[in-house]
Amino acid sequence: MPGEAVEYHSIQLIRDEFLMNIQKFASNIQRTMQQLEGEIKLEMPSISVEGEVSDLAADPETVEILEQCVINWLNQISVALEDQIKKTPQGNGPLAEIEFWRERNATLSALHEQTKLPVVRKVLDVIKESNSMLVANLQPVLTELFKLHMEASDNVRFLSTVERHFKNITHGSSFHVVLETIPSMMSALRMVWIISRHYNKDERMIPLMERIAWEIAERVCKVVNLRTLFRENRASAQHKTLEARNTLNMWKKAYFDIRAKIEASGREARWEFDRKRLFERTDYMATICQDLYNVLQVMEEFYNIFGSELKAVTGDPKRIDNVLCRVDSLVTPMESLTFDPFSIKCSQDWKYVMDDFKIEVLVIEKEAKNFIDESFKTLRSAEAAFDMLLKFKHIRSREAINRQMMMKFNDILAQYCKEIDIVNKIFVQNLDNPPLYKNHPPVAGAIYWERSLFFRIKHTILRFQEVEEILNSDRGREVKQKYLEVGRTMKDYEDEKYKQWKETTEQVLPTLMRKSLLTKTSAAGGEAQNSDRGAGFAINFSPALREIINEAKYLEQLGFPVPELAKNVALQEDKFLRYTDGMQRMLDHYHMLIGTLNEAEALLLDDHSQELVRVFRSGYKRLNWNSLGIADYITRCKQAVGKFESLVHQIHKNADDISSRLTLIESINLFKYPAPKSEEDLPGMKEFFEHIEQERAKDVDHMVRWYLAIGPLLTRVEGLVIHTNTGKAPKLASYYEYWENRIYEVLTKLILKNLQSFNSLILGNVPLFQTETILTAPEIILHPSASEIDKMCVHCVRSCVEVTKNFVRWMNGSCIECPPQKGEEEELVIINFYNDISQNPQIIEQAVMIPQNVHRILINLMKYLQKWKRYRPLWKLDKAIVMEKFAAKKPPCVAYDEKLQFYSRIASEVMHHSLIKDEHCIRLQLGPLANTVQENAKSWVVSLGKLLNESAREELHNLHEEIEVVGPW
């Protein structure tokens, strides 16, 4: 944006000003430090110079020492002056000259200030008083120092007035800054020329201006870099080269403007400087910048011609891209120059480059003309080609190519003829079935289509009228005649379409308006029968009526007169939309409510739904689209549907309450077994089944309470529907039956699900209860026994099914429990769901399967116990008889040892067996059996020990008797 550009430029100027002031401040500080410290310090005398000058001058020794000191000063000052005179500015720019004078001023100022010191003055007075020969040498040196110091100081003061301009030229952010700086800098140089005592001579001013010219030239060389210039944005590159050229020209122009002012004043010394030294290089560089600007201009002209418009018109983008590649390659030699184009020494080399460029431009122009001649014979769009030609009239492009383009109007007319033929062909092919826009009615849509085709050719010929000569030619008149013929054909088509629509509308519209508001439909969507029961409803707003309304609107927009009746109907469109929308929402609401009713609820609410249909009846019997009471009818229907909805919601609420209770009943677990206290400590068989029975009894109490609550809920429904609370209303008989069937299904699922779940637990790999194994000689048996386990399992399963005995059936046609009935032998019989559910084949199958599975598990456990029968001799043999027989044989101690080791090994071995056996849901505890076997083995060991003891005692007694008989030796 222009405002943003100005603001950005102001920010740049402020930044540059700030940086230059900081740099100036830093240089001032540095210069002040040099003046304070001084690069050259005069050596002070080693003796005191206190006292009167005459006294000191009278002392030869003092004079001699001070003379030596003065000699040293003269040498130091002379050397310093010679050094300063030999020095030259360090750099080619104007800022280097200012810095040169500042450094000289700093050095000489320090020396000059030291000569003013009191000590130095007193020493010099003593030398003068003593009439020393040094006085003659001293004064010229001090005079030269003062002269050079004043010159440096004066130059610094005057050059400081142009320093800011020099910094803008050297460091300015853009050529714009330099352009603004050059005139004011020249004015400042004029002031320096007038006022300065040293820069008012050619030998000083010409070198300074040479430095300025060099700085400007170097600035241009840096910015206008041919290696990158042509890769930049073309507009930016052109602007850059143009500013560079203007900057170089401004340097010369500003010089001559000031020179003219000086001559006009007649009071100042004229500027008769060597123009070759000042402007030869800058003038040459200005011509190079102009050449570069021309190169960029040529490229822009080519790009203006071979742009997207020409691609769209000719349809040959590849060839255009090839030409543009040739255009891009025009600058390739300039990007890889082996010489400095801004050096005047290489002017001939640059001339060769520019000559080659111009030759290649002519070649490309010739090729472009041939391409344009070929392309305009195969145009894609007459209008686009015409627009492009008009555009080339107003944009900068190659003049030769532009002239070639302006000769192509006949080709455009030929293309326009083709386009008329194409449009006419499309019109003829689609006359009977024209393509329509979305939401367009047939007649108005066809006219819209026809007019869009006509506009395609009309728009182009209107554009041709912008150039008078194009249609006034012979070819132009032929094209115009062809256009008028096609236009007349299309106009006849739309008039015929409108006439047919008008006649049809005037015939059918009154009939359509007399149609009823609603039509009855069956549940399947067809026409309903005479009965209202189960019927649905649909809005009877004819699509033909809707189409007539749309046609009337669009035809009026197209400018056709619409019949009065059709116009009145179209003006009521919003009202009809409100009516149809209101009725559709009401009917959707009604159908949604009917759809939420199951068969039992539909029968229950049959009277109420018939009442609702009676409210609807006037909509399909009496009212039509001309009626005035449609809004009141919709209101009545909505109120009736709302009342019906309230009743349906209350019925559904009670049904949900009943369903929630049935869900609770269905979710009950009838086999809640006790949780084990630990992994090893499982409940016993009796404890397991007793716990299940206890938990089941509690759950049955809850289930019965939930079941008993269903009756009152159905009585509440009775109150809602027929306003009684008997619990046996004939109108609700089918509804009672529906819920009794639901209860039967829930109880069946409950029993079946629990039996299946318990069977899965029985066959699972997690033990649920445990049983012990005991020894009852001579057999090893389970405790409790297998038969007891079978009986408990059967009883548990039977008890599960018998839970349904707690649910008493209702009396026929009611929701009241059936009282006990007298059966055979005056026995009271309670009618419940047990008899029906217990006969269910799936339940019977599960009830039989569970005991069978338990029995198989017990058989497997008994088989496992068979291996313990190898220890049967321990308890089967009569221990006393066996011991007596063994003792009678008077066996040796080895025989006793074998027997003792055998029984001891058995006692140890049995305790190393696994004392737990898990078989599906049953855990077999073998500890009691193992303990009994071990005790039996140990009793055999004890009996053998006693027998061995008695045998040994008897032999010892016999041995003692023998010893006594023999006597002592």
Side-chain angles (χ1 to χ4, degrees):
M1 298 294 289
E4 293 178 355
V6 171
E7 184 181 355
Y8 178 71
H9 180 62
S10 301
I11 292 171
Q12 283 187 319
L13 290 176
I14 294 169
R15 183 200 65 185
D16 295 341
E17 183 74 24
F18 176 72
L19 291 174
M20 283 189 256
N21 286 335
I22 288 291
Q23 191 174 359
K24 186 176 180 181
F25 177 67
S27 62
N28 285 338
I29 290 176
Q30 187 177 6
R31 189 164 57 253
T32 303
M33 290 173 63
Q34 287 176 353
Q35 289 175 349
L36 291 174
E37 296 176 358
E39 294 180 1
I40 303 169
K41 289 188 178 181
L42 299 178
E43 296 179 7
M44 293 298 108
S46 57
I47 61 172
S48 174
V49 290
E50 295 294 332
E52 292 295 328
V53 172
S54 56
D55 295 340
L56 292 171
D59 185 359
E61 267 186 46
T62 301
V63 170
E64 185 180 352
I65 293 171
L66 294 180
E67 282 181 345
Q68 187 59 46
C69 184
V70 170
I71 290 169
N72 292 338
W73 291 349
L74 290 175
N75 289 336
Q76 284 181 287
I77 293 170
S78 299
V79 170
L81 293 177
E82 287 177 9
D83 289 344
Q84 289 302 317
I85 291 169
K86 290 178 184 176
K87 276 187 180 180
T88 57
Q90 300 298 306
N92 297 322
L95 288 175
E97 183 152 346
I98 295 176
E99 194 59 34
F100 164 76
W101 287 112
R102 278 191 179 137
E103 288 180 5
R104 175 178 285 191
N105 181 47
T107 303
L108 298 181
S109 176
L111 276 174
H112 187 258
E113 290 299 324
Q114 289 182 71
T115 60
K116 294 180 181 179
L117 291 173
V119 175
V120 174
R121 283 292 172 197
K122 194 164 187 179
V123 169
L124 294 177
D125 288 342
V126 171
I127 294 300
K128 288 177 184 177
E129 183 71 22
S130 65
N131 296 319
S132 173
M133 297 293 292
L134 291 174
V135 173
N137 296 329
L138 179 63
Q139 195 58 43
V141 173
L142 293 176
T143 302
E144 183 67 16
L145 171 62
F146 176 74
K147 176 187 169 186
L148 291 176
H149 170 243
M150 290 306 296
E151 180 189 22
S153 176
D154 191 51
N155 288 345
V156 167
R157 187 168 69 256
F158 285 107
L159 289 178
S160 294
T161 61
V162 292
E163 182 179 14
R164 181 171 176 275
H165 303 303
F166 293 166
K167 286 183 177 178
N168 280 342
I169 289 173
T170 307
H171 305 298
S173 59
S174 65
F175 280 129
H176 181 73
V177 176
V178 179
L179 279 168
E180 288 184 343
T181 300
I182 290 174
S184 56
M185 178 191 70
M186 278 296 182
S187 297
L189 288 174
R190 177 188 177 190
M191 294 303 298
V192 171
W193 173 262
I194 295 169
I195 299 171
S196 174
R197 290 175 293 177
H198 304 283
Y199 274 90
N200 57 356
K201 301 179 182 66
D202 291 3
E203 56 268 19
R204 281 282 171 82
M205 187 57 79
I206 289 176
L208 179 61
M209 285 195 171
E210 272 189 290
R211 289 178 176 276
I212 296 170
W214 180 89
E215 191 66 62
I216 293 172
E218 285 302 306
R219 182 73 184 270
V220 170
C221 288
K222 288 177 185 176
V223 175
V224 184
N225 183 357
L226 268 65
R227 296 188 183 278
T228 59
L229 181 68
F230 301 107
R231 299 174 195 166
E232 299 175 14
N233 176 271
R234 282 194 300 279
S236 172
Q238 282 182 278
H239 181 69
K240 183 187 290 185
T241 53
L242 190 61
E243 280 199 331
R245 185 202 67 186
N246 292 341
T247 301
L248 294 166
N249 290 336
M250 176 59 73
W251 160 242
K252 187 173 184 179
K253 180 179 179 300
Y255 168 80
F256 281 105
D257 288 347
I258 297 299
R259 183 176 180 275
K261 288 179 182 179
I262 292 172
E263 289 179 356
S265 69
R267 298 188 302 272
E268 305 160 21
R270 297 177 61 182
W271 280 4
E272 297 292 346
F273 303 148
D274 188 345
R275 297 179 187 179
K276 184 176 181 181
R277 289 173 63 183
L278 298 183
F279 306 117
E280 183 181 30
R281 185 185 179 195
T282 55
D283 287 348
Y284 175 73
M285 290 180 68
T287 61
I288 300 298
C289 288
Q290 183 62 51
D291 287 343
L292 293 175
Y293 178 80
N294 293 340
V295 168
L296 290 166
Q297 188 67 47
V298 167
M299 294 186 70
E300 183 187 5
E301 289 169 356
F302 276 125
Y303 270 97
N304 286 340
I305 296 167
F306 299 104
S308 56
E309 294 89 354
L310 191 60
K311 285 183 181 179
V313 169
T314 60
D316 193 358
K318 186 175 179 181
R319 190 167 174 187
I320 291 174
D321 290 337
N322 291 336
V323 174
L324 290 177
C325 288
R326 292 276 302 278
V327 172
D328 288 336
S329 65
L330 286 172
V331 297
T332 303
M334 300 182 189
E335 291 179 327
S336 55
L337 294 177
T338 56
F339 60 88
D340 181 5
F342 291 114
S343 173
I344 200 168
K345 297 176 183 177
C346 304
S347 59
Q348 194 61 39
D349 294 332
W350 178 253
K351 184 176 181 302
Y352 293 149
V353 170
M354 287 304 298
D355 290 343
D356 291 342
F357 172 79
K358 291 171 184 175
I359 291 169
E360 186 64 22
V361 166
L362 293 175
V363 172
I364 294 175
E365 276 186 357
K366 184 178 180 182
E367 185 175 337
K369 285 191 223 175
N370 294 334
F371 171 66
I372 290 168
D373 288 342
E374 294 172 14
S375 298
F376 269 80
K377 289 179 178 143
T378 57
L379 288 174
R380 297 175 69 186
S381 167
E383 185 182 0
F386 182 76
D387 287 340
M388 188 185 68
L389 291 184
L390 290 184
K391 181 181 176 184
F392 283 134
K393 271 189 168 185
H394 305 295
I395 67 169
R396 183 183 179 89
S397 62
R398 302 300 295 164
E399 188 176 347
I401 297 175
N402 216 357
R403 284 198 305 272
Q404 189 80 2
M405 297 279 269
M406 292 300 111
M407 297 166 62
K408 298 301 174 187
F409 284 113
N410 280 339
D411 292 337
I412 292 174
L413 288 173
Q415 174 62 25
Y416 180 62
C417 279
K418 292 179 187 176
E419 290 176 7
I420 292 176
D421 292 338
I422 291 168
V423 167
N424 191 45
K425 183 179 179 182
I426 294 170
F427 174 70
V428 172
Q429 286 177 344
N430 296 281
L431 270 176
D432 299 326
N433 188 22
L436 304 180
Y437 288 113
K438 187 178 180 182
N439 299 326
H440 272 199
V443 175
I447 295 173
Y448 263 104
W449 166 74
E450 171 267 322
R451 287 193 178 181
S452 69
L453 288 177
F454 181 68
F455 180 77
R456 283 165 62 177
I457 57 176
K458 179 182 178 182
H459 179 71
T460 305
I461 205 165
L462 289 177
R463 295 297 314 282
F464 288 170
Q465 291 177 0
E466 296 176 19
V467 181
E468 292 182 5
E469 60 269 21
I470 192 171
L471 290 176
N472 291 336
S473 64
D474 293 340
R475 182 61 172 159
R477 282 190 287 273
E478 289 176 16
V479 168
K480 191 173 182 180
Q481 184 62 33
K482 191 170 190 176
Y483 158 77
L484 292 173
E485 289 174 2
V486 172
R488 278 194 295 271
T489 304
M490 292 184 174
K491 186 70 171 66
D492 293 343
Y493 170 79
E494 71 176 47
D495 289 343
E496 181 64 25
K497 279 282 183 183
Y498 168 71
K499 182 180 177 183
Q500 292 175 359
W501 174 81
K502 182 179 178 182
E503 292 173 355
T504 305
T505 299
E506 289 174 344
Q507 289 175 6
V508 303
L509 185 56
T511 305
L512 294 175
M513 290 298 292
R514 287 194 295 270
K515 283 193 173 185
S516 62
L517 300 182
L518 300 178
T519 181
K520 287 196 295 181
T521 61
S522 64
E527 289 296 324
Q529 303 302 319
N530 292 332
S531 172
D532 290 336
R533 186 184 302 277
F537 299 93
I539 297 175
N540 194 23
F541 192 78
S542 173
L545 182 57
R546 197 182 303 273
E547 184 179 294
I548 287 173
I549 293 172
N550 284 338
E551 293 280 15
K553 286 194 306 180
Y554 282 107
L555 287 172
E556 192 170 35
Q557 289 175 8
L558 289 167
F560 290 96
V562 178
E564 195 64 30
L565 181 58
K567 184 183 291 186
N568 290 335
V569 171
L571 290 173
Q572 298 180 70
E573 182 187 17
D574 290 342
K575 183 175 72 173
F576 289 141
L577 283 175
R578 286 198 307 275
Y579 289 163
T580 54
D581 187 53
M583 282 190 285
Q584 190 61 55
R585 284 202 300 271
M586 178 268 293
L587 291 177
D588 289 344
H589 194 185
Y590 165 73
H591 291 139
M592 182 271 294
L593 288 173
I594 295 299
T596 61
L597 302 178
N598 57 37
E599 188 176 351
E601 290 168 341
L603 287 171
L604 175 68
L605 297 173
D606 185 56
D607 290 345
H608 293 273
S609 60
Q610 289 302 312
E611 180 64 30
L612 186 56
V613 169
R614 277 193 289 276
V615 177
F616 289 168
R617 184 168 295 159
S618 60
Y620 59 87
K621 291 286 188 183
R622 180 172 55 84
L623 295 174
N624 60 40
W625 295 104
N626 286 318
S627 302
L628 298 176
I630 298 176
D632 293 338
Y633 168 74
I634 294 172
T635 303
R636 289 197 306 275
C637 290
K638 285 183 177 179
Q639 290 173 349
V641 171
K643 183 178 177 182
F644 184 70
E645 180 186 25
S646 175
L647 179 59
V648 168
H649 284 174
Q650 291 182 70
I651 298 297
H652 282 166
K653 185 178 182 304
N654 283 281
D656 291 342
D657 289 344
I658 296 171
S659 295
S660 65
R661 284 163 174 74
L662 293 179
T663 302
L664 289 172
I665 291 172
E666 188 180 346
S667 64
I668 289 295
N669 181 7
L670 296 175
F671 291 94
K672 292 181 182 174
Y673 56 87
K677 296 174 185 175
S678 66
E679 231 178 273
E680 291 79 18
D681 189 11
L682 295 178
M685 177 70 72
K686 289 183 180 179
E687 181 187 352
F688 178 81
F689 284 109
E690 285 174 0
H691 185 276
I692 288 176
E693 291 293 339
Q694 291 168 3
E695 293 296 322
R696 186 180 293 160
K698 295 176 187 176
D699 289 335
V700 168
D701 289 340
H702 294 305
M703 291 161 65
V704 170
R705 282 201 298 274
W706 294 330
Y707 172 71
L708 293 176
I710 294 174
L713 289 171
L714 292 175
T715 303
R716 191 186 302 169
V717 171
E718 179 187 343
L720 292 170
V721 177
I722 58 175
H723 309 296
T724 61
N725 56 358
T726 61
K728 53 183 179 180
K731 183 67 181 173
L732 273 72
S734 61
Y735 199 58
Y736 299 145
E737 184 181 348
Y738 165 76
W739 282 110
E740 196 166 21
N741 286 332
R742 283 286 309 277
I743 293 166
Y744 170 76
E745 291 171 2
V746 166
L747 292 175
T748 302
K749 289 180 182 177
L750 168 73
I751 301 303
L752 186 60
K753 180 189 69 175
N754 276 278
L755 291 176
Q756 289 171 341
S757 176
F758 188 60
N759 191 33
S760 298
L761 289 172
I762 293 295
L763 296 176
N765 294 321
V766 178
L768 303 176
F769 54 86
Q770 64 184 16
T771 183
E772 295 180 349
T773 309
I774 60 173
L775 178 61
T776 304
E779 296 298 330
I780 300 173
I781 63 172
L782 298 177
H783 180 72
S785 65
S787 60
E788 289 177 343
I789 295 173
D790 282 336
K791 286 177 183 177
M792 283 189 279
C793 181
V794 170
H795 177 268
C796 185
V797 171
R798 186 183 296 118
S799 176
C800 173
V801 179
E802 288 177 353
V803 163
T804 57
K805 289 182 178 180
N806 295 280
F807 297 90
V808 181
R809 297 285 295 271
W810 296 336
M811 289 189 290
N812 189 31
S814 75
C815 60
I816 301 170
E817 287 189 358
C818 186
Q821 305 293 315
K822 287 185 179 180
E824 298 176 1
E825 301 177 1
E826 299 296 319
E827 180 186 359
L828 290 176
V829 177
I830 297 175
I831 300 174
N832 51 47
F833 287 95
Y834 174 74
N835 291 333
D836 294 322
I837 292 174
S838 63
Q839 301 304 316
N840 187 294
Q842 289 179 299
I843 291 176
I844 293 171
E845 180 187 356
Q846 289 294 325
V848 171
M849 191 185 300
I850 291 171
Q852 287 177 348
N853 289 335
V854 171
H855 187 70
R856 277 195 288 272
I857 293 170
L858 292 172
I859 289 172
N860 290 338
L861 289 175
M862 294 305 293
K863 287 179 181 177
Y864 175 76
L865 291 175
Q866 290 297 320
K867 68 179 183 178
W868 286 83
K869 289 186 177 181
R870 60 195 177 98
Y871 300 117
R872 186 180 293 178
L874 292 176
W875 59 82
K876 189 174 182 182
L877 298 176
D878 189 331
K879 193 190 309 174
I881 296 172
V882 171
M883 288 296 106
E884 186 178 344
K885 287 181 180 180
F886 181 70
K889 294 178 182 178
K890 293 195 180 286
C893 289
V894 173
Y896 277 103
D897 184 58
E898 288 177 357
K899 290 283 186 183
L900 286 170
Q901 284 187 11
F902 172 72
Y903 289 113
S904 296
R905 190 163 52 252
I906 288 174
S908 174
E909 180 183 288
V910 294
M911 299 311 292
H912 286 87
H913 286 308
S914 175
L915 302 180
I916 291 175
K917 167 62 177 173
D918 290 341
E919 186 72 22
H920 292 292
C921 64
I922 300 176
R923 173 169 288 176
L924 187 61
Q925 290 286 356
L926 298 167
L929 176 61
N931 288 332
T932 305
V933 172
Q934 186 182 48
E935 287 172 4
N936 275 283
K938 286 181 178 179
S939 68
W940 281 90
V941 170
V942 170
S943 297
L944 283 170
K946 287 181 180 178
L947 195 60
L948 177 59
N949 184 37
E950 290 173 1
S951 172
R953 184 176 293 173
E954 185 180 347
E955 287 185 8
L956 183 61
H957 181 68
N958 292 337
L959 181 58
H960 184 268
E961 286 181 353
E962 285 180 10
I963 289 172
E964 283 184 350
V965 170
V966 174
W969 290 352

